Amino acid sequence: MDDETGSTTSRPLRALLRWLGAAAAIAGIVGVVFQVIEWAGSRGTPEARSSAGASPTVATPTATASGDEQFVQAGQCVRNVGGAATVVYEISPCGPGTWRVLARIEQAVADEAQADAVCEAQAPGFMDYHYSNWTKRSDYLDVVFCVAPV
């Protein structure tokens, strides 16, 4: 009799555990789908704000980040393969017409005045800067490149 009583009370428990397991699996799958959607959205064509143009005296209002630009580090040289109005940095060998990145600073930047102040504090001798928030989301950091012509 104990076996029969134990098996009848454990059936509802087993069914409940199966449903809970299925619900947890579905919730996990839904969570992964949402993460993939968010990741894919952040990989779209990003735009960036900039002030570093073809020459140190040219200020540009917007720019598009190239694939290279996202990986540019301090000490590397870059070339603007965009135009004065759309700065696009590409990593290139140092030489005439290139800019040396004196500092890459990742922090929130509200405007051009703040980007200028950040470069002044962290890269003395910079000639210009380019700042961007490729995803245009407030919860992502901006990247400020402090540059000087080579």
Side-chain angles (χ1 to χ4, degrees):
M1 280 202 164
D2 288 334
D3 290 337
E4 288 179 15
T5 307
S7 63
T8 57
T9 57
S10 66
R11 277 188 196 159
L13 181 60
R14 284 185 198 163
L16 177 65
L17 290 175
R18 282 185 193 148
W19 280 105
L20 288 175
I26 291 170
I29 291 169
V30 169
V32 168
V33 168
F34 280 115
Q35 286 180 343
V36 169
I37 290 170
E38 184 174 337
W39 173 81
S42 71
R43 303 279 300 171
T45 304
E47 292 193 12
R49 300 175 303 257
S50 170
S51 70
S55 70
T57 58
V58 175
T60 57
T62 60
T64 302
S66 71
D68 276 358
E69 189 175 63
Q70 295 181 31
F71 303 106
V72 172
Q73 298 298 319
Q76 290 180 311
C77 288
V78 293
R79 181 178 310 280
N80 178 12
V81 294
T86 55
V87 175
V88 178
Y89 281 156
E90 182 178 89
I91 299 170
S92 65
C94 296
T98 62
W99 296 80
R100 181 173 305 278
V101 178
L102 302 177
R104 174 191 171 112
I105 302 143
E106 296 182 14
Q107 72 178 51
V109 175
D111 55 23
E112 292 178 3
Q114 187 178 5
D116 188 53
V118 164
C119 282
E120 187 69 40
Q122 299 205 17
F126 81 102
M127 293 292 291
D128 211 344
Y129 59 88
H130 169 65
Y131 72 103
S132 56
N133 180 336
W134 292 298
T135 58
K136 291 291 189 189
R137 290 177 46 178
S138 61
D139 58 340
Y140 281 76
L141 294 176
D142 295 321
V143 178
V144 181
F145 299 104
C146 307
V147 296
V150 175

